[in-house]
Amino acid sequence: MTRLTGRALRLTVFVGEHDTWHHKPLYAEIVHRAHAAGLAGASVFRGVEGFGASSLIHTSRLLSLSEDLPVAIVIVDTEERVRAFLPQLDELVTEGLVTLDHCEVIRYTGRDGTPLEPDTTGTHTQGKNTEGKKAP
């Protein structure tokens, strides 16, 4: 497989921070499923203010309105892998917004600075050889 550089697809899911899936935060379930699917990465961003289809403004500035702040889950990978993940979102996201944007990956590196490369299991490794040791 090739490194994640060049053309990619960004999936963004907007939900409320108190939305749940089987008594667990919905955003956490999406991240865990993205990880299990071997996607390149997922991040959750908590909003400080926003509104959606309900037109109710949620804000952290007023205690009474800060009960369900918006969160955005952002996932970037190849178009093929992101589109293959979409059916899982159909099951999970009953209220919210799901968007797709084409993007270009300029750099995708791990903490030690080595490029991340997908292995044959669909997970991503940091410059490791077949024996599991870091490459020189």
Side-chain angles (χ1 to χ4, degrees):
M1 291 187 153
T2 60
R3 294 181 186 163
L4 181 62
T5 57
R7 292 200 57 167
L9 201 60
R10 177 179 48 228
L11 166 66
T12 307
V13 181
F14 298 92
V15 295
E17 74 176 330
H18 291 292
D19 291 349
T20 59
W21 176 260
H22 294 244
H23 308 291
K24 166 178 173 177
L26 177 59
Y27 60 84
E29 181 66 17
I30 293 170
V31 167
H32 288 279
R33 286 194 186 196
H35 185 260
L39 294 173
S43 296
V44 178
F45 300 94
R46 183 175 187 231
V48 295
E49 189 165 1
F51 71 93
S54 68
S55 293
L56 295 173
I57 294 179
H58 301 273
T59 178
S60 61
R61 291 182 292 136
L62 301 171
L63 189 59
S64 64
L65 297 176
S66 65
E67 296 170 356
D68 194 22
L69 293 172
V71 294
I73 305 100
V74 180
I75 298 168
V76 176
D77 208 319
T78 64
E79 182 167 358
E80 178 183 17
R81 294 171 68 83
V82 169
R83 289 195 184 277
F85 183 69
L86 292 177
Q88 292 198 54
L89 292 180
D90 286 340
E91 176 187 3
L92 296 172
V93 180
T94 58
E95 293 179 8
L97 174 66
V98 178
T99 64
L100 292 173
D101 300 289
H102 289 281
C103 62
E104 182 178 357
V105 175
I106 304 300
R107 182 179 170 115
Y108 181 49
T109 48
R111 290 187 185 265
D112 67 358
T114 57
L116 295 174
E117 299 180 36
D119 66 16
T120 56
T121 63
T123 58
H124 297 271
T125 59
Q126 287 182 290
K128 291 184 179 179
N129 63 25
T130 56
E131 296 172 356
K133 298 177 185 171
K134 291 216 178 201

